[in-house]
Each structure stands twice: as structure tokens, then as C-alpha cells.
Amino acid sequence: MAGLNCGVTLTLLGVLLLGATRPREAGAFEISLPHGSGTTVLIKPGPFTLPVKPCHIITSGKYVTTLPIKSGERKDFSFTCSSPQHHFVIEVQKDVDCMSGPCPFGEVALQPPTSVLPTLNRTFIWDVHAHKSIGLELQFALPRLRQVGPGDSCPDGVTHSISGHIDAAEVMIGTFCSNGTVSRIKMQEGVKMALHLPWFHSRNVSGFSIANRSSIKRLCIIESVFEGEGSATLMSANYPDGFPEDELMTWQFVIPAHLRASVSFLHVNVSNCEKKEERVEYYIPGSTTNPEVFKLSDKQPGNMAGNFNLSLQGCDQDAQNPGILRLQFQVLVQRPQNESTVTYVVDLSNEPTMSLTIEQRPLKQSRRFVPGCFVCLESRTCSTNLTLTPRSKYKISFLCDDLTRLWMRAETTLGCTEHRYCHRRSFSLRVPRDILQLPVQLRDFSWKLQVPKDRLSAALVPAQKLQQHTQERVCNASFSYLVASTSPGQDLYFGSFCSGGAIEQIQVKQNVLVTLRTYAPGFQQEFSKQGLTVSFIPYFKEEGIFTVTPDMKSKVYLRTPNWEQGLPSLTSVSWNISVPPNQAACLTFMKERTGLVCQTGRAFMIIQEQRTKAEEVFSLEEVLPKPSFRHHNFWVNISNCSPVSGKQLDLLLQVSLTPRTTDLTVVLIAVVGGGAFLLFALGVTICFVKKNRKKKKNKGPAIGVYNGNVNTQIPMQPNMFPKVPKDSDAHVYAVIEDTMVYTHLLQDSNGSYVQPEVDTYRPFQGPTEDCPPSPPLPCSRAPTAKWPAEEPSTGFSPEPESEPYTFSHPSNRNTDIPFLDAHEPVETGE
């Protein structure tokens, strides 16, 4: 008895410490089972890890590892170790025969009681056999049961496993823990109930009773009672294995009148049916169409007041390929909300491509009960998410305690198949009023713009200039536009853009996905002032072109598309940057090197002033150019190569404006020099006129003398011509005037001379070039060339702006003149 008292003490200690063990002295136990009780006891090794020291059972002077005790037997035993709970388990099974005699209805007791059993993990099993026409009911006292899935454990370690019979087959109804809503389970043709108690638990009652009921004509009925707000998760029989073929199972829900219940399917599988159809049926109080039949793929009812029943019906399955029917669902009971009485109309009947999805936004998990958020069609078919399809009209309501837990996403397609019809046409990207009037935040609205391949491109023009989201300048607006190219085989994300920037236009070569993303419920006021227009323009070959007009207020940050993954291989993108009059734009790159290593081809950056057409070509595998000032509109073009694995091209540009300053000394020199040049030109003109008159009078051969002081070398390429002595006559040439030799050809029929036609050069007055510079050939290996940005180097005569002396990068046109040697740019004011 000392050992028994110690065992009781340890039992209480185990309850407090939740499984903490303490060795007890080995003691003797005695189990006696009455004759005809139908009870057997089996002590056997448990599914534990093998201990370091073995433990045995001692009975009748023998060491055994298994001890069975049958009805009518009495056995004394003890253990060779002080902690047998780590080695053995005990099973107590009672067979109840309700076919040859009356069933022992009423409360079920634990026999033998736990007080005479050793402190091992105990399992009490009641196997009740009944006729097919007899219904048995298991009634559970408070606290009720809660069904759990396979592999889940109960907090207190007490588990109920309930099975039924179909002929000779056993069907698993479910595994249950305490503290739930399941109050009764009705079975047809017998029941098998197993109660699992951990060794440290002091429970000494079964907690259920058996009652007799009439035939239920189905596998089972599970009753779930709700006292207030809460939820219950339930599963079909044999879950997660297949539901028995052509069987019927029912759940009865008891709901307080002031609450509302909603059903949502968490996991569904259907089998392959030969006959009938798998379905669920609802009996809802007050419904005029009971039973309401739903497919397993349908949205399930919600916002139901009062008690209701839910039944799962199987089918006759294909013998060769039966499949699996299984269902896991949740019933959520909560108070009705004021919003549930308001109905909203969403009319998509005139929208051939628009769809709308209302869903729950991600929330942190909470152990407390959280009321559900449901979207209901016609106030009855409710679910946690709802998708409205095109060309239909809907009436929806909300069963939700907090509508901020929901948001919606919409998308539509704007397509154009005939390029002649779409050329220069424009469309306004607006959100329909039916969507904006819903009491749920609009998360995304996407426009899929489909452009005729290789025929047209798309241009996005905002009502207000946009700013590109960067780490240096974050968008703080209530919404933004996400722009991406969706050309077949390549998805190119251009970036996120919001109001308040310098970008006037975004041109994309092919199909475009524009997504309006909102960040605050009150975005509509700001969005109404913005607006975005898309038009179809002539096709161009670059992936994207940005038109940027900076102002003096802030710096402009621009970054290459696909910032996270890098610009795709062999992709080109350009920025058309405007410089206002009397301003200078400082172009800065935010890092010194790109870190790019090309595997095939070369990566280039071209900077071209649109007024002078002068181009500067830089290799992106080398050091990026230093900050430079631009006084006129200019292009920045970036063309990628095929980089080696792990390398990517991502550049961040900064453009800032400063007032253009002019040096007073330069102005004075220009004025004086201009006056001197004017006097010189006047003198030369007078001399030239006198000389011509003298030539005409003498009619002798005209002699021209080559001026040896004029530079005959190509700029920046010295020693192109050999040097000659200064006193040599090699530079003196005789020039014969054509009019002296071919005078007979200039006479008219009257014998008088015809004056030759004289033309003068006129500079081009048309519009400046609006196309970006053509990138070099992908495999070109032209060296990097940098040209003076403003003033030429010392020793060269300044050229007028209308006639620049520049060199271009290699292009499709042939040239025999190689690039000149690279020189550092000279940054000066104009």
C-alpha cells in the first residue's frame, strides 16, 4: 500500500507538472475481473524509445513483457523498475453485446477503476455490437468534445476516438479532445469508443453515456451546440482517407436565435462517380426550398439564423478508379453586423473582360476567437472570398465585424487587334463607380493592355507628372501605378510611380500591365485628380522610353527596370530628359561602377544632346562617367549585354537643375571679338571686290596661294600629314579659274556671258529629333569615347552651334575613320 500511496502522490504531481516524472518504489498490484463482465486487461510495452535499462513484469515468480488478464481472472504483479510508465501501457477493453440481449444503457463507468490500476498510459475501449436497425447515441457531458485532425494532440492528453461499423468494416468517425461543441454522436449498427488517459491524469469517469435510438438510416449524426460566438472545425468520416462509398453523414447545429452561422469549406476532394452525384444538402429554418442542394465546389450558405442541418452524400464510385471523397469544413457563429442588412449592386453586364475578387487581407494569427468576415450573394451564399465575373449583375452584402479586414482586386483587358483602327487612339484608365461605392478598400485594379505585335506600341500619359519610387525618394502618396511589360517570354517590371515627380510619359514597346495599387482608404480624392491615359503610337524597338521634365524644386531619381533582378539581357531603355531655358541639368550616377561582366556582346550607355546630335558612348563594364552638366535637352540610352551568371545591370540616375551662369569676361571678349571679326570681314569683302574687278580687267589667269599656317590635320590626330620645310614651294598651287578656260560654254546665243548660280547654306529649322540614339551593335567592341561637354580643347577654333564638329558611335552606316583617342570631358559653363 505504501507503493500505491506513493503512486497516487505522483499522479497528482504529474497533473501539476504536465508529465514531469519522479521514480517511485516498485510495488505490487492486483487486478481482479468478474465473471461474465466481458472485460479484458492487457499490459504491454508501449511505443517508447528503448530505455537504457530494461524493465519487466513479475507475475507468479516469472519475468514477462506482456500480461493479459481475462474476464474471471485475478492476477498479482509488480515491475522490476521504478518508472514503468516509461516502458508499458495498459488497455482495458469491454465488449458490449446488444444483439442477444438488452444494452446496458446509461452512464458508462471505468471498470476496473483507475485507483487499482498502475500509473501507466491507459486506454479504455468499449466495443458495442448492435443490429443494423438499431441506432445508438453517445451523449457527452460538459465539457463537450472538439474534433481534431490526424496528428493533432490534445492539450491535456485526454483523447476520444470514435468508430462505427458498416457490415464487417470499421469506419473512423473522428478523434476528439475536450472543450468543444460536439454534444452527441448517433451511430447505426454499433459503435466503438476509445478513451485515452495519460499516466499522470487522475480522471476516474468516462464522461459519456449510451442511449437507445431508432434507426437513423445513415452512417452517423453529429450534433454541435453553440452557446455563444465561436467556431467549430469538423471532418467527414475516415478523414483524411476516403468517405465510404454511397454513404450519408449528417451534422446538426444548434445556434442561439440572436446569432448567425456561416459555413466555409476548408479542404475538399471528390471521387469518380459512376452513379448519383456527390453533394451537400442544407435544412435551413424558414427556407422554402428545403433541402437546399449545393455542389462541393459551390460557395456555401452563410448568415443563417437558427438551427440548421448539413448532410454529405456520397455516390457509387468507379471500381477501377474510385478516387477519394473527403471534406473538412468550418462553422463560424457570430453576432450579425449592421452592414449585413445593406445590399450593394455591382453591374458588370457591360464589362466584357472585367472581374472583381473580394477577399480577406493577410492577418496575424490569434488564439482568441475572431469573428469571420464573409461576402454574401443574395444575403445567403457566403464565403470568405468572392469573385464576380464579367457580363453579369450581382447583389452582394457583407457579414463582417470589421470591413477593414477585407480588400478587393479587379482587372480588365483593353485589347486592340487592328492597328489601323487603334493608331493614335487613347483610352482613359478609370475605376468604375460600382466598385468605388463598395465599403471595402480597393487594393489593386489592373489594366492589361494588348498591343498589336510589331505594329504599334503603347504610351502612358498621366494628368500630373509622376515620380519613380526609389529608396532615395520614397512615394508617400495614397496610391501608385505599377507598370510592367508583359511581352511573350519576357516580363519586365518598370517600377512603381506616384504623383509629384518629373515623368511626363512612359512608352512601352509591347503589351503593358498597369496596376493601380492603393495604400489608404481615402485614395479616391487624390486619384480623381490624377488619371492615366493610354494611347497607341508607332512601334519602336526599345523596351521602354521615359520622357522626363525636371524642375528646380527637387532632384529626380531614375532607375533601370527590373531593379531587383537586373535589366534583362540584350535589352535597351532610354530617358528623354528636357532642360528648360537658362537652366543646366547635372546628370549624376549614384555609384562609380556597375559591377557588370558581359559574357556575350557589350553593354553601352549613350548620352546624346538633341540640339547638336553629339553623342558620348561609355562602356558599362568600366567606370561610370563623372557628374556632368547639360545645357540642352538630351537622351540617356542604356543597352545591356548578356551578363555572366550572378551579374546584373542596375543603374540609378540623378538629375538636378541649376540656373545657367555666364561669365562676364567671356561676354566682353565675345563682344570685342565679334566687333573685330566684323571689321575684319568688312575689309576682306572690300579687298575681294576690288580684286575681282581687277581680275576682270586684266583677264589673266587667277593664281591662289595655299596658306601654310592653316591646320590641315584631323582634330586630335597629330602627324597625319608629313612635315615639310617652311621654305619649300610644295604648298603653293596655281589655280586656274573655270571661267577663263571654259568661257565659250558660258556664252549665250547673243554672245554675252552668263553668271554662274550661287547658293548659300541655310541651317535646318525643323523640329528636333524625337527618337532616342541607336545603340551600338550587340557584339561591337568599339572603345569608350568621351567628348567635351561644352567647350573644345585649347588649340581648336570654336565651331558655331549650327555646324558642330562631332563623331558618332559605330552604327549601320560604313565609315573608314576610326574613333579618336579618348580624352577626359571638360565641364565649363556656357
Side-chain angles (χ1 to χ4, degrees), residues 341-411:
T341 61
V342 181
T343 300
Y344 298 89
V345 177
V346 180
D347 190 1
L348 302 181
S349 55
N350 295 325
E351 300 289 346
T353 61
M354 184 177 297
S355 63
L356 173 67
T357 298
I358 304 174
E359 61 187 6
Q360 294 192 28
R361 66 170 68 198
L363 295 176
K364 295 181 179 180
Q365 296 294 331
S366 175
R367 293 186 176 182
R368 298 184 304 168
F369 168 73
V370 178
C373 252
F374 296 97
V375 189
C376 304
L377 279 176
E378 305 294 340
S379 301
R380 174 54 58 84
T381 304
C382 301
S383 61
T384 55
N385 58 79
L386 177 66
T387 298
L388 308 182
T389 56
R391 296 194 181 279
S392 299
K393 189 175 182 179
Y394 301 91
K395 293 181 179 180
I396 66 174
S397 60
F398 298 92
L399 180 61
C400 185
D401 65 321
D402 183 8
L403 289 177
T404 60
R405 294 168 55 190
L406 297 175
W407 62 24
M408 52 186 173
R409 304 173 185 269
E411 65 177 28

Side-chain angles (χ1 to χ4, degrees), residues 724-747:
V724 294
K726 293 183 179 180
D727 55 352
S728 174
D729 293 336
H731 60 281
V732 180
Y733 300 91
V735 178
I736 303 176
E737 195 171 50
D738 289 344
T739 56
M740 301 297 101
V741 180
Y742 304 101
T743 52
H744 64 284
L745 298 177
L746 299 177
Q747 293 179 354

Side-chain angles (χ1 to χ4, degrees), residues 591-597 603 619-624 647-651:
K591 57 183 179 180
E592 185 179 358
R593 288 181 177 271
T594 64
L596 181 69
V597 178
S619 173
L620 296 178
E621 296 180 80
E622 301 173 3
V623 178
L624 293 175
K647 299 295 182 179
Q648 64 180 30
L649 176 59
D650 50 0
L651 283 178

